[in-house]
Amino acid sequence: MDPLPYEHILQTMLKANTTFLIGRKGTGKSTIFKRVQHDLAKRSDYTTAYIDIKTVYELSKPDSALIAKVDANSGVMPKESLGKLHLNRAFLQTTIKQIHDQLKERANSTLLARIKRFFSGTIDELFEDLDVLLNEIEKNRYTSITGIRTISAHDKSGLSTESGSEGAAGINLGPTTGLTASLKITDANKASLDRDQSYTDTLILEFNITHYLLRLKELLDRISIKHLYIFIDDFSELPEDAMKIVVDTLLAPLNNWSEELIKFKIAAYPGRIYYGDIDKTKIDEINLDFYRLYAAKNLATMEDKAIDFTRRLIQSRLKYFCKCDASVFIEVKNDEIWRNFFYATMANPRNLGYILFYLYESHLLFDRLITVSALKEAARRYYEEKIEPYFKMNKFL
C-alpha cells in the first residue's frame, strides 16, 4: 500500500534517479524496495541488485591478524587503503552475484526471448562471462610505479695459482722401432672479477572498480539492459566512520560516474545520513514519516491523512491475505477505531503488524470482533512488551 495517492512513492522510486528513502524502523523501506524490484523485473531493459550494506561492510573488513601485520610493517599498504580495496571488491562481487541471480530468475520469462534476439550465444555463455568477471575481481593485480630505478653494484675479485707436470713414455713397435718420451710442466696465475647488480622495483596493488563496471556494462549491453538499480539497505545501521567510508569510496564516485548505468536506491534513518560528494540537487528524497509525508498547514489535516493511510493499509492487507472485507474482523463503522489504530502505531506498518498479531491472539482466534477497547488493550500490551523494554535497554528511561 503506497502511503500517497496514485502510488506516488512507487513512481518516484521507479525513476532513473538516485533516491534516498528515509524513515524510522518499521516504516516499510524494505517492503517498498521489494515492490520496486518486482515492478522492474517486468522491464526487459532493467536489472537490479539488493545490497545489505552493513553485511557487505562487515565482511569486507580485513581480519585482525592482517591488520596487526599492516601496523607492524612500514613497507606495506596502509590499512585504510586496504580496507577500501576490500570494500570495493566485496561490493562489486555482491552486485554481480545479485545480477546473476536476477537474470537466472528471469531466464524463463519474456526476457529469454530478448536474450536470444540480441545475444550472439547462449544464456549459459552469458552466465559464464559473469563468472569469469567474478574470478578476475578476486585476483590481485599489481602495477609497477617505479619512476627511477637505482642500481647498486658489488665487485668481487680473486686470484688463483695453478701448477703441474705431465709426462709420457712409449715404445714404438712398428717398422721403425724406437722409444719416445715427453714432459710438460705448467705454472699459471688466474685473476677473476665478478660484478653483482641489484635494483628495487616498487609495485602497487590496484583495484579499478570503474574498469570492472565497464566490463559489466558491456555484458549487460548484449541483452539490451541499460539500467542497473542498486538497492542499498541498512545504510544508517553503519557506524558513522563506516558510513563515510562507504559514501566516499563507493556511492559518491559511482553516483557521479559519467556512465548512466547505475542508480542507487538508499534506505536511511532520519538524521543519520552522510551525503559526502553526492549532489543533493540531483537526487530524490522520500520521507516515510507521516509528519513529513502529510505536511500540512494544520495538525488536524495531517492527522486525518495519516489515519486514512492506516485505514487503507489495514483494509488492503486483509483483502490480499484473507480475501475478505475488513468488516469481517473489525468494527469498521466506528470511526474511532481507525483513529485509535493510528494513535497506537503512528502509521508505522511494523507497529501495526505487532498490534494486529496481539488482536489475532486475543480476539480473532475466538471469533470475536475487534473493538476500540480491544485495540486499546492490544496497544497497552505492545507498549509493555516491545516499547518500554527497548527504551530501558537504551537507557532512555
Side-chain angles (χ1 to χ4, degrees):
M1 170 60 62
D2 199 299
L4 294 177
Y6 308 108
E7 296 190 321
H8 178 71
I9 288 180
L10 174 63
Q11 297 305 319
T12 303
M13 290 289 292
L14 289 171
K15 289 165 55 179
N17 203 18
T18 290
T19 308
F20 277 81
L21 187 63
I22 305 169
R24 294 168 292 119
K25 288 184 177 181
T27 49
K29 299 183 295 295
S30 297
T31 302
I32 292 173
F33 275 4
K34 291 179 181 178
R35 172 65 192 279
V36 176
Q37 284 189 281
H38 176 268
D39 279 32
L40 290 173
K42 302 174 184 177
R43 303 183 182 185
S44 57
D45 55 343
Y46 285 75
T47 192
T48 64
Y50 175 87
I51 307 292
D52 184 335
I53 196 64
K54 184 180 180 182
T55 300
V56 170
Y57 179 79
E58 292 297 329
L59 292 176
S60 70
K61 292 168 64 175
D63 61 64
S64 56
L66 181 60
I67 291 298
K69 291 181 180 179
V70 170
D71 291 335
N73 292 275
S74 60
V76 299
M77 178 185 292
K79 61 182 180 182
E80 293 81 8
S81 299
L82 183 64
K84 291 178 181 180
L85 185 145
H86 279 272
L87 178 60
N88 274 286
R89 178 175 289 166
F91 174 83
L92 199 52
Q93 287 172 327
T94 305
T95 299
I96 294 175
K97 288 175 182 176
Q98 281 280 310
I99 293 172
H100 188 286
D101 293 342
Q102 286 282 324
L103 294 181
K104 277 282 190 182
E105 290 180 6
R106 298 164 65 182
N108 295 322
S109 66
T110 54
L111 177 65
L112 182 59
R114 192 175 184 88
I115 291 174
K116 290 179 178 178
R117 193 182 317 132
F118 290 97
F119 184 54
S120 58
T122 67
I123 184 65
D124 291 332
E125 288 175 344
L126 175 61
F127 293 141
E128 287 174 5
D129 287 339
L130 289 174
D131 290 336
V132 168
L133 186 56
L134 280 173
N135 290 333
E136 289 186 17
I137 292 169
E138 186 66 30
K139 295 177 181 178
N140 288 329
R141 298 178 62 181
Y142 294 89
T143 300
S144 174
I145 59 170
T146 302
I148 299 175
R149 179 173 293 172
T150 301
I151 299 177
S152 60
H154 305 280
D155 293 336
K156 296 189 298 182
S157 59
L159 180 64
S160 62
T161 302
E162 296 181 1
S163 62
S165 60
E166 295 180 5
I171 300 175
N172 185 358
L173 300 177
T176 306
T177 302
L179 179 65
T180 62
S182 65
L183 178 65
K184 182 180 180 182
I185 299 176
T186 62
D187 189 4
N189 292 326
K190 290 185 178 180
S192 64
L193 178 63
D194 296 328
R195 167 162 290 194
D196 290 338
Q197 294 181 347
S198 63
Y199 60 87
T200 301
D201 198 359
T202 304
L203 302 176
I204 186 172
L205 178 61
E206 64 173 1
F207 188 87
N208 188 342
I209 192 170
T210 306
H211 165 76
Y212 293 113
L213 287 172
L214 286 171
R215 290 276 305 280
L216 176 61
K217 184 176 185 298
E218 291 174 2
L219 294 178
L220 295 178
D221 278 342
R222 295 184 187 180
I223 53 175
S224 294
I225 289 180
K226 304 298 182 184
H227 302 282
L228 168 60
Y229 282 18
I230 300 181
F231 294 82
I232 305 292
D233 210 354
D234 282 345
F235 174 72
S236 295
E237 293 283 346
L238 291 168
E240 187 175 351
D241 57 339
M243 196 184 300
K244 291 181 178 180
I245 291 173
V246 167
V247 172
D248 295 339
T249 304
L250 286 173
L251 303 188
L254 296 182
N255 181 72
N256 300 333
W257 188 31
S258 58
E259 297 290 337
E260 288 297 314
L261 174 66
I262 295 176
K263 296 300 175 187
F264 290 108
K265 307 295 176 179
I266 304 167
Y269 298 153
R272 276 194 55 80
I273 306 175
Y274 172 73
Y275 294 95
D277 290 332
I278 296 175
D279 189 349
K280 290 187 66 176
T281 64
K282 297 181 179 179
I283 64 174
D284 293 324
E285 287 190 7
I286 302 173
N287 202 307
L288 296 178
D289 287 314
F290 74 91
Y291 51 85
R292 293 288 184 86
L293 272 176
Y294 309 120
K297 293 182 179 179
N298 59 78
L299 182 62
T301 302
M302 178 180 67
E303 189 175 283
D304 288 342
K305 291 180 179 179
I307 292 171
D308 180 64
F309 166 66
T310 306
R311 177 186 58 79
R312 290 187 293 115
L313 181 61
I314 294 173
Q315 289 177 333
S316 64
R317 290 294 184 267
L318 290 175
K319 186 174 182 180
Y320 180 82
F321 290 105
C322 301
K323 312 298 181 186
C324 65
D325 189 75
S327 60
V328 176
F329 306 108
I330 302 173
E331 198 177 46
V332 295
K333 293 183 179 180
N334 186 350
D335 292 337
E336 280 302 303
I337 201 160
W338 303 119
R339 186 175 300 277
N340 278 273
F341 265 121
F342 165 67
Y343 288 157
T345 64
M346 291 291 102
N348 185 300
R350 183 177 297 175
N351 297 343
L352 187 59
Y354 277 117
I355 288 180
L356 287 174
F357 176 73
Y358 292 148
L359 288 168
Y360 173 76
E361 288 187 329
S362 65
H363 281 67
L364 300 185
L365 278 175
F366 304 100
D367 295 325
R368 296 162 59 189
L369 201 65
I370 297 174
T371 62
V372 173
S373 60
L375 174 56
K376 288 181 178 180
E377 177 61 25
R380 182 195 61 78
R381 179 184 170 191
Y382 173 62
Y383 175 81
E384 291 178 351
E385 294 184 6
K386 299 295 181 182
I387 303 299
E388 191 174 21
Y390 173 80
F391 278 91
K392 288 182 177 179
M393 181 179 64
N394 290 276
K395 300 180 180 179
F396 289 125
L397 294 178

